[in-house]
Every structure is written in C-alpha cells, then in structure tokens.
C-alpha cells in the first residue's frame, strides 16, 4: 500500500519543463514551449494506450495532421487529454515528420473501501464520494472526494476529522482505493447566544431553534452540533416565531458560528432586530371578479381585528380564500393580502384582494431526489394534478404538507416555464432521511410500580407513507403487546384507515383486586374536515377475562374480604358444591363488540410540550353490537394552553373532563364504569373517589364524573435548561357518582355523592429523552367519607 500523492498535476510539471528547453527522450525531442513551429506533421502516433482507442486520443487534441501548430497547441492538447480523466500521464514529442503522443492510462478502480469510520457507515460515505468501482481513478476526483468526506463529517459535527486516501496497486492497471478516516471527537455547540432580543429571553428563543447546546444529554442527540443548513433553518424558525407573535418588522441581522479549535466547540450567536409588536386592525375582503362574491367567502378569513398580528394566520387565510374561490367555480382567482400599518397605534389592517390571476395550467410535476418514497406519496400532497389550473398558494401549501410528513430532510418546490406561455412545470426536490425509530421508556407509576416499554415504528413503511408500530410494555403488574397500522390515504382519498391488534394483561395490585386479560383488535377511520377538525369512526371487538385474586376468593366464603358487588363475578365450581372457596373457578370471560366515533379539534403547537392552542376531543363508545355486554360510554376532554409570560417560559393550562356511561340491552358490568382517582384529581389514590363498598372499601366505579384542572408550568430557575426540568403549581377538582342497583350486588354503598373533591399542589416535570416524567405533591382540600388520599404520585409516559 502506498500513499496517493495529491500534488501538482503532471500536466503543469510537463508544461514547466517544456518551457525551459527541448528534452531528449530516447532519440526523440520533446516539444518545448519555447519553440515556435510553423511546419506541420504528417501523422500523430499514439503510444501506451490499452483501453482507449488511438482515434479517441487524437480527437481530444487541438493539433491535426497537415496543419501548422505551435507551443500553445501542444499545451492545449496536453491539458485537453488530462481533462478527460482517462490518463495519468501525457507526453508529446517529435519523431521525424510525425508527432508521438505517449499516454499512461488512469487505472481502473477495483474496489472502494473506508477504514476507521464508525459514526458514518460505508453506505453513507459511499453516496458522498464521486469515485466509483469499475470507474477510472482520477487524482483530482480523489482529492475532491476527500473534501466531500470531510464535509460530511463536519455536517455530523466532527470538525477534527481527517481523511487520507491510499491505493493498493493490482495487476492489469487496477487499484483498490482506500479512504482511511480518523473521525476525531464530536464538535459540539458550547453556547447559543442572542443579541438584540428584549421581548423574549435567550432561554425562550433557544426553545424555538433546532440547534441545541452540548451537555450531559449529547450522547443521545445530534442537534447539538454545528450544521450550516440547520443554522439557516433556525433563522427561518426565529422569523416565523416573531411574525407569529406580532413582530412584523423582525429581522435576523446575522447568524455566526465561531469555532474554538482548541476547545473543539462552536459558539453560535444570533443578532436580531425585533421591532414593535403589532395587532390586527380592520380586516376586509374585496373582489374585482364578478363571479366571486367577497361576502360569500369572508368566513374563510382567520384573522380578526384586535388580536395580535400573526403572519401564519394571514397565510392560512390566503389559502382558505383561494380554496373557497375555487370551490365557487373560479380556479384562477389570485388572493393578494395588502397590509396598511398604523405606526402610532401599532396596528396592521389587512385587506384581502381577490383578483383575476393568470390563466396558467400545470404541464408537469417532476418529483426528484426520492429513492425510497414512492412518487405518488409526494404527488398526493398537491391539490392539483397535470392539466389543472396553477395556483401558487396551493403549491406553497403542498410544500408545507411535505415538510410536515417528516420523511424528508429538505423539501424545495420550484417552478419553470412550460412548453408554452400558459404552461408551468412544477419541480419537487426532496432529500430523504431515515423514518424508522426504536424508542424505549422506563418509569414508575404509583399504581403499577416500575413500568417500561419498547416500541419499533416506521413512518414511511415500504416508501408508501404508511405508519407501522409494534410495542411491548412491561411492568410489575401489567404487560401490553400492541401492533398498529395506519394508511393515511385510504382508497386514494385524504381519509386515514388503520387497524390495531393488542393483548393487555393487568394483574391485581394494591389498587386493583382482580386480574384482567384483554385480547382483541379494531379498525378505525379518520376524515380531516379542516386542518384542525377531524372526525373519526371505528369498530373493535375484544375478549376480556376477569379473575378475582385468590385471597379475595377465599374471603368470599364468609370472612367478608370481598365486596358483595364483586361476588357476582365469581363462578362456583360444581365440584365444590357451589361454595365460593379456594377451589372456586375464578375466570369470567366476556366478548365485547363496540362501535366508536369521535370529534377532535386540535390547534396545539406541539403535541408533546404544548405552549399554545386548544385540544378538544369528544368520544363515544357503543357496545352491544353482538357480544355479551351493552353500554354507551361518552367522554369529553378539553384543554386550553396559553403562554402567560413568554420571557419566563410560563405556560398556563386549563382542562375540563367529563364522562357518562349507561347500560343498554344486555347491560354493562361493574368493570365498564369509570374509576376516578389520582390520575384525574391528584391528592387521591387511583380509584380513590366515587362509590365504594362500605364493608370492604372496594371501589365500585361510577357512571358519571366531571373534573377540572388549572396548572401553570415553567422551567426551574438555576438549573441548566438542557436538563429539561420544569416546575408546576396546580389545582384539581371534580366528582364521581352513580352506580346501577343491578351492579351493587346488595352492597352498602358509601361515597356516592356529587360533592366536589378538590386538591392543590406542586409538581416537578422532567422532559426526559424517554418521554415526560413527573412527580406531584398534592394536598386534598375537600373529600368525602370513604375517599382514599395520596400525597405523592409519580407517573411517566406521553401526555396525549
């Protein structure tokens, strides 16, 4: 193995030597640049070529037989031959009346390999380099490949990486090309600073940008490295954030990343100019198209006078107005918002002008850069096809949808002139990124002890845009196995369809005196009415087996340890003479067949850590379509988030929940009721409030419940932001009541009251890499007889 020298090209060396004097090679003089020739040669002889035809060599030369030439022609011919990449050496000399061209052909690359690389795989680096197996090795191309590999490592945050190309010579003018890589240490981002910001703190703006500071969590994320593309995206995110919050004059003056080579770290600084905050003034819609009635489409406007100026709402209003005009039969309407600023009152009045746009049609939609994702997955995000009227607003909307898929690292949609003046070609360039994910979580629940889960998901299954997820969950008293599949465009329509298969095992614990084994599945459909409003329907069928704990079964024989209501689920064993003793057959199986429908309104800005928006979900399950059980269960969950003090990161949340269930037909079971406690009203145990058996204090569930929560959350001061620790103060209140006489089983019931239970407390939330974990300390303020309280509660998992 020898080192490949990347130095001055032989063409330049040859030219320098020729400029000095003629050099005698054997008996033939090499033509020097100092000689001037007015004569011509009768022929051009090519020597040393093996794969390349002599005529091909002659075709690249500027010197031709029978035509006078000079030193410049010789120099141009040498450069032209080297530029082909076919030759590693070229010499031109005179031999009598002939011109002799000696060439050494570039070797063929047998194999390309990478050594020393761990962070970037051979496949990733193989895509970066331009040299290819069975291609010709060019020194210039190898030098370029070295820089490409270094750039790939820089983009992955390793600025100390070095690459040394080496070759292994093989017979028949072949070589193995080896890139020896020293990856070096990760070059992180030590600090992210902002200059010129006053309305929002540095900490709040760090939450806006994707780039993160290096810290103890750097080993599980890659966003704490310098990436010029990410830095450009961060500038756009800052601009959109400020424009969304009323700062219409906001500008990013500069975004600098300074490398401390000694410390192997970057210091990123954004210099911004915020300007003043504006509110919306008057909002109006005017149409210059007779076919489009401005009053008829005015309801599509999302902006309202008096609210904080929001550029996103203006963009969405333009989109909605364009769609409304198109549905009204005019596809060529152009919506142009005109802003009028009142600097004294700090307002911006918006007038949406509906004008006649150019009659331009889509000639072709080109999709480029996708090697895995199918073309139709990208094309279906456009509300237009070839031959439809071209609308720039719809193109921008499709680009946003493609970005939201998260299938692609970059998405760029451009247009160019078509074959005629009224035709447009739309080009969609995408840069794919991995869409598979393996995640795990570990936590602790006061009800179920230590819990953990492992999930494998793929958001772009087989490049078809389908979502697949398999999950295994384990705990001290529970096991879950789930498989989920979703097709977002069922039958070619913007209608999601999917199915779920699951098995859930919940064993008895201090809060639950029975074992539960549920196995089944279901299908579901979702139809988006608007960007925020979705309607869903589904059907599920499952078998549920309830087994009362053996110790309680023994008590059922006479010592009173089991609720009278629970006894009706114990099935006597004939071998025991019908007695409810230790030999009791405890298993009871029921088949539940139920339909479901729901309405969801969601404007949450971030589904995991929301700061602003509304989420309302109404859900209804109807069991009794066959099976052994019949009931109607209705629930409502409404949440409102608002950033109260942006500079502190203080977010307020109001939440209201309610539920009602009633038996129909064959009736419901005790286990189909609502069991309300600490997961709803903190300060109480799981299933800690509502109707209970007076003798055993066993929870019997409730057929009605209501609950409200008010909470404020903010980062904990004096702790590094990257740790993700937040503090909260909250107040919960609610009630659970009602149980059918049939379900009481003769038990004496206490706690069946509509009186409000309430609590207040504080919490610590950790936004961990495994999902949010929280510990709550709550003090019950009001409670009823039989309620079971709990001051401390620890829980983990996603919020939605």
């Amino acid at each position: 193995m020898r080192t490949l020298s990347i130095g001055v090209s032989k063409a330049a060396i040859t030219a320098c030597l020729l400029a000095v004097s003629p050099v005698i090679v054997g008996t033939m003089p090499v033509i020097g640049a100092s000689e001037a020739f007015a004569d011509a040669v009768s022929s051009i002889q090519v020597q040393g070529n093996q794969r390349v035809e002599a005529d091909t060599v002659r075709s690249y030369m500027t010197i031709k037989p029978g035509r006078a030439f000079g030193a410049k022609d010789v120099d141009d011919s040498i450069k032209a031959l080297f530029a082909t990449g076919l030759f590693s050496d070229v010499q031109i000399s005179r031999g009598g009346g002939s011109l002799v061209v000696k060439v050494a052909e570039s070797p063929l690359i047998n194999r390309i390999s990478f050594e020393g690389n761990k962070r970037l795989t051979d496949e990733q680096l193989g895509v970066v380099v331009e040299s290819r197996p069975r291609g010709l090795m060019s020194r210039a191309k190898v030098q370029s490949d070295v820089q490409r590999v270094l750039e790939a490592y820089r983009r992955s945050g390793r600025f100390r990486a070095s690459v040394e190309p080496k070759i292994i010579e093989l017979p028949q003018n072949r070589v193995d090309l080896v890139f020896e890589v020293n990856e070096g240490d990760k070059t992180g981002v030590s600090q992210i600073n902002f200059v010129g910001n006053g309305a929002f703190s540095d900490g709040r703006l760090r939450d806006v940008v994707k780039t993160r500071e290096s810290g103890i969590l750097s080993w599980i994320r890659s966003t704490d490295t310098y990436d010029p593309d990410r830095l450009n995206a961060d500038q756009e995110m800052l601009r959109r954030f400020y424009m969304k919050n009323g700062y219409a004059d906001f500008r990013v003056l500069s975004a600098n990343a300074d490398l401390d080579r000694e410390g192997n770290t970057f210091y990123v600084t954004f210099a911004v100019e915020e300007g003043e905050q504006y509110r919306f003034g008057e909002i109006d819609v005017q149409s210059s198209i007779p076919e489009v009635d401005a009053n008829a489409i005015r309801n599509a406007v999302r902006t309202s006078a008096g609210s904080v100026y929001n550029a996103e709402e203006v963009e969405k209003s333009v989109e909605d107005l364009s769609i409304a005009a198109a549905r009204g039969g005019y596809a060529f309407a152009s919506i142009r918002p005109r802003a009028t600023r009142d600097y004294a009152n700090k307002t911006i009045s918006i007038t949406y002008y509906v004008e006649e746009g150019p009659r331009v049609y889509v000639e072709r939609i080109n999709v480029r850069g996708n090697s895995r994702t199918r073309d139709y997955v990208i094309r279906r995000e456009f509300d237009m096809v070839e031959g439809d009227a071209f609308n720039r607003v719809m193109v921008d909307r499709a680009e946003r949808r493609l970005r939201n898929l998260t299938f692609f690292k970059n998405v760029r949609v451009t247009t160019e002139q078509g074959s005629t003046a009224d035709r447009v070609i739309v080009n969609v360039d995408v840069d794919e990124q991995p869409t598979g994910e393996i995640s795990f979580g570990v936590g602790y629940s006061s009800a179920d002890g230590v819990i953990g889960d492992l999930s494998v998901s793929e958001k772009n299954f087989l490049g078809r845009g389908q979502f697949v997820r398999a999950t295994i969950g384990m705990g001290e008293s529970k096991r879950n196995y789930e498989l989920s599949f979703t097709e977002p465009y069922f039958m070619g329509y913007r209608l999601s369809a999917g199915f779920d298969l699951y098995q859930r095992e919940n064993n008895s614990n201090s809060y639950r005196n029975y074992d539960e084994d549920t196995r089944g599945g279901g299908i579901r459909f979702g139809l988006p009415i608007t960007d925020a409003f979705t309607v869903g329907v589904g059907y599920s069928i499952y078998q549920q087996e309830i087994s009362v704990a053996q110790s309680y079964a023994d008590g059922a024989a006479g010592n009173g340890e089991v609720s009278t209501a629970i006894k009706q689920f114990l099935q006597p064993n004939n071998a025991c003479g019908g007695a409810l003793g230790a030999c009791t057959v405890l298993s009871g199986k029921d088949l539940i067949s139920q339909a479901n429908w729901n309405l969801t309104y969601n404007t949450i800005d971030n589904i995991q850590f929301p700061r602003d928006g509304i989420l309302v979900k109404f859900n209804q399950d109807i069991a009794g379509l066959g099976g052994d059980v019949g009931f109607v269960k209705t629930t409502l969950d409404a949440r409102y988030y608002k950033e109260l003090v942006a500079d502190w990161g203080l977010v307020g949340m109001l939440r209201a929940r309610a539920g009602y269930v009633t038996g129909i037909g064959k009736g419901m079971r005790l286990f189909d009721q609502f069991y309300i406690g600490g997961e709803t009203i903190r300060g109480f145990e799981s299933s800690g409030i509502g109707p209970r058996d007076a003798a055993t204090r066993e929870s019997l569930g409730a057929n009605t419940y209501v609950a409200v929560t008010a909470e404020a959350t903010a980062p904990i001061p004096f702790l590094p932001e990257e740790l993700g620790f937040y503090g909260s103060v909250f107040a919960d209140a609610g009630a659970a009541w009602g149980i059918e006489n049939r379900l009481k089983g003769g038990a004496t019931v206490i706690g069946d009251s509509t009186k409000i239970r309430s609590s207040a407390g504080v919490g610590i939330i950790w936004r961990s890499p495994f999902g949010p974990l929280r510990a709550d300390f709550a003090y019950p303020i009001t409670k009823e007889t039989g309620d079971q309280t709990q001051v401390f509660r620890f829980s983990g998992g996603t919020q939605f």
Side-chain angles (χ1 to χ4, degrees), residues 395-716:
V395 171
D396 294 339
R397 187 187 199 190
E399 183 173 359
R400 186 175 68 248
R401 285 175 174 173
L402 289 171
R403 294 181 186 277
N404 291 340
L405 290 177
T406 68
F407 298 169
F408 313 108
K409 186 184 302 181
N410 295 304
V411 177
R412 185 167 178 262
V413 181
T414 57
T415 59
E416 62 182 62
Q417 179 67 51
S419 57
T420 59
D422 63 344
R423 295 291 185 269
V424 171
I425 297 174
V426 179
N427 296 317
V428 185
D429 294 286
V430 297
D431 182 9
E432 293 181 314
Q433 64 182 358
T435 53
E437 183 179 272
I438 299 178
S439 61
F440 65 93
V442 178
Y444 177 82
S445 168
S446 301
D448 296 303
V450 177
I451 56 176
D453 64 79
L454 174 65
S455 176
V456 179
S457 63
E458 171 57 60
K459 294 181 289 186
N460 189 14
F461 184 62
L462 299 178
R464 301 175 183 270
Q466 299 163 336
F467 177 81
V468 179
R469 180 175 60 195
T471 303
I472 298 176
M474 296 291 179
E476 292 183 15
S477 60
K478 64 189 302 181
R479 290 181 179 84
N480 297 330
Y481 309 93
E482 299 183 12
L483 175 64
S484 178
F485 174 85
T486 302
E487 166 56 67
Y489 278 79
F490 184 61
M491 302 293 289
Y493 296 96
R494 198 175 292 276
L495 169 70
S496 66
F499 67 83
D500 303 286
L501 301 174
Y502 50 84
Q503 178 180 351
R504 300 166 185 155
E505 300 176 7
N506 295 308
N507 299 328
S508 59
N509 55 27
S510 57
Y511 301 99
R512 183 173 52 242
N513 298 326
Y514 57 89
D515 297 339
E516 176 186 344
D517 186 356
T518 303
R519 306 182 185 192
I523 57 174
R524 48 188 160 72
F525 301 90
L527 176 64
I529 305 301
T530 66
D531 289 343
F533 188 63
T534 303
V535 176
V537 295
Y539 170 79
S540 62
I541 183 169
Y542 57 93
Q543 180 176 277
Q544 191 172 52
E545 180 178 355
I546 303 296
S547 303
V548 178
Q550 184 68 44
S551 59
Y552 290 90
D554 292 341
N559 61 15
E561 293 182 7
V562 173
S563 165
T564 305
I566 293 290
K567 290 181 181 180
Q568 62 182 306
F569 293 95
L570 301 179
Q571 300 178 4
N573 188 333
N574 292 331
C576 298
L580 294 177
C583 63
T584 300
V585 177
L586 302 177
S587 298
K589 293 183 181 180
D590 289 305
L591 182 68
I592 296 90
S593 173
Q594 68 180 38
N596 165 274
W597 71 281
N598 60 75
L599 302 174
T600 303
Y601 178 78
N602 186 0
T603 62
I604 297 296
D605 58 346
N606 185 308
I607 200 66
Q608 275 197 318
F609 307 119
R611 293 178 179 272
D612 183 76
I614 297 173
L615 174 64
V616 180
K617 185 169 184 178
F618 175 87
N619 186 84
Q620 193 167 64
D621 296 318
I622 305 172
L625 307 176
D628 304 317
V629 180
F631 61 80
V632 177
K633 180 179 288 188
T634 305
T635 58
L636 175 68
D637 187 353
R639 313 183 199 189
Y640 171 67
Y641 294 89
K642 180 68 175 177
E643 194 166 41
L644 302 177
V645 184
D647 196 40
W648 298 352
L650 180 63
V651 177
M653 186 267 285
L654 294 175
R655 183 177 185 182
R657 284 173 282 183
Y660 176 74
V661 60
T662 182
I664 59 173
K666 301 175 183 179
M668 63 179 180
R669 306 162 302 168
L670 195 69
F671 308 104
D672 298 321
Q673 300 220 119
F674 297 108
Y675 289 81
I676 306 302
E679 67 286 338
T680 307
I681 305 174
R682 285 160 287 192
F684 295 85
E685 289 187 354
S686 294
S687 306
I689 68 173
R692 319 185 78 82
D693 186 309
T696 65
R697 301 301 172 110
E698 189 86 38
S699 176
L700 304 179
N703 59 26
T704 308
Y705 84 94
V706 294
V708 294
T709 294
E711 184 171 15
T713 305
I716 297 178

Side-chain angles (χ1 to χ4, degrees), residues 444-449 511 675-688 730 732 762-765 773-779 788-796:
Y444 177 82
S445 168
S446 301
D448 296 303
Y511 301 99
Y675 289 81
I676 306 302
E679 67 286 338
T680 307
I681 305 174
R682 285 160 287 192
F684 295 85
E685 289 187 354
S686 294
S687 306
F730 58 83
D732 296 333
V762 297
I764 299 175
I765 304 167
L773 303 174
R774 67 179 298 156
D776 292 315
F777 300 84
Y779 176 76
Q788 298 178 0
T789 61
Q790 181 186 68
V791 174
F792 174 74
R793 185 177 184 85
F794 190 94
S795 60

Side-chain angles (χ1 to χ4, degrees), residues 81-196:
L81 289 171
F82 269 111
T84 65
L86 299 173
F87 311 105
S88 60
D89 191 16
V90 178
Q91 292 183 6
I92 298 179
S93 59
R94 283 289 293 269
S98 298
L99 194 68
V100 179
V101 181
K102 284 188 175 182
V103 296
E105 293 182 344
S106 297
L108 280 175
I109 299 175
N110 175 63
R111 181 174 61 92
I112 297 177
S113 62
F114 302 90
E115 296 180 357
N117 56 308
K118 295 180 180 178
R119 297 294 177 179
L120 297 180
T121 65
D122 289 1
E123 291 75 14
Q124 290 173 311
L125 295 178
V127 174
V128 170
V129 299
E130 291 185 339
S131 298
R132 291 288 180 265
R134 295 181 297 280
L136 294 176
M137 190 192 75
S138 165
R139 297 177 187 276
K141 186 179 291 185
V142 171
Q143 184 179 20
S144 174
D145 287 342
V146 168
Q147 296 304 316
R148 288 172 177 271
V149 173
L150 288 175
E151 181 62 23
Y153 272 100
R154 292 187 182 114
R155 289 183 178 275
S156 67
R158 295 183 178 271
F159 278 73
R160 286 187 173 179
S162 61
V163 180
E164 184 179 2
K166 294 185 176 181
I167 62 171
I168 302 175
E169 294 183 348
L170 302 174
Q172 300 177 348
N173 198 24
R174 295 178 303 122
V175 296
D176 283 344
L177 179 58
V178 181
F179 292 94
E180 290 192 351
V181 179
N182 181 0
E183 295 184 324
D185 298 329
K186 181 179 179 180
T187 307
V189 176
S190 179
Q191 290 182 9
I192 302 176
N193 300 313
F194 296 86
V195 178

Side-chain angles (χ1 to χ4, degrees), residues 162-393:
S162 61
V163 180
E164 184 179 2
K166 294 185 176 181
I167 62 171
I168 302 175
E169 294 183 348
L170 302 174
Q172 300 177 348
N173 198 24
R174 295 178 303 122
V175 296
D176 283 344
L177 179 58
V178 181
F179 292 94
E180 290 192 351
V181 179
N182 181 0
E183 295 184 324
D185 298 329
K186 181 179 179 180
T187 307
V189 176
S190 179
Q191 290 182 9
I192 302 176
N193 300 313
F194 296 86
V195 178
N197 55 309
F200 300 98
S201 66
D202 285 14
R204 179 66 183 93
L205 296 182
R206 289 190 191 102
D207 287 341
V208 174
V209 299
K210 289 185 178 180
T211 303
R212 292 287 180 261
E213 293 181 347
S214 300
I216 61 175
L217 300 179
S218 296
W219 61 280
I220 58 173
R221 64 187 181 193
S222 60
T223 54
D224 62 340
T225 59
Y226 169 68
D227 185 335
D229 291 338
R230 190 188 303 126
L231 198 64
N232 291 333
D234 286 342
Q235 295 180 60
E236 177 62 17
M237 294 184 73
L238 285 171
R239 188 190 71 81
R240 297 186 70 87
F241 171 74
Y242 269 94
M243 296 288 282
K244 182 180 178 180
N245 286 279
Y247 293 87
D249 298 325
F250 174 79
R251 293 189 303 157
V252 177
L253 301 178
S254 64
N256 299 319
D258 299 319
L259 176 62
D260 178 0
R261 295 188 179 277
E262 184 175 341
N264 192 34
T265 188
F266 273 97
Y267 294 86
V268 176
T269 303
F270 294 93
V272 302
E273 183 179 306
E274 293 180 329
E276 299 288 343
Q277 187 184 49
Y278 291 84
R279 290 184 175 272
F280 282 114
E282 295 182 2
I283 306 297
D284 192 19
V285 179
Q286 297 184 13
S287 173
S288 61
I289 305 175
E291 294 88 345
V292 179
D293 183 3
N295 293 324
I297 63 174
R298 193 180 299 271
N299 290 335
V301 176
R302 301 192 183 193
T303 52
S304 58
S307 60
V308 174
Y309 175 78
N310 187 332
E312 287 187 5
E313 293 300 309
V314 175
E315 293 176 5
K316 292 179 179 179
S317 295
V318 171
E319 290 179 4
D320 293 346
L321 286 170
S322 298
I323 294 172
R327 288 175 178 170
Y330 202 85
F332 295 100
S334 174
I335 314 298
R336 182 171 54 87
R338 178 180 295 175
T340 303
R341 300 196 187 200
D342 184 338
Y343 293 97
N345 296 317
K346 297 183 178 58
T347 61
I348 299 178
S349 297
I350 304 292
T351 301
Y352 298 94
Y353 288 94
V354 184
E355 302 172 341
E356 184 168 357
R359 292 181 175 270
V360 179
Y361 298 87
V362 179
E363 178 176 318
R364 189 168 65 253
I365 299 177
N366 296 325
V367 179
R368 304 180 300 205
N370 57 315
S371 59
R372 180 168 178 266
T373 306
R374 311 292 177 94
D375 274 15
Y376 70 82
V377 173
I378 298 173
R379 291 176 180 272
R380 68 191 183 190
E381 298 301 330
F382 286 82
D383 292 323
M384 62 178 75
V385 296
E386 283 87 347
D388 284 353
F390 173 78
N391 190 315
R392 182 73 235 184
V393 173

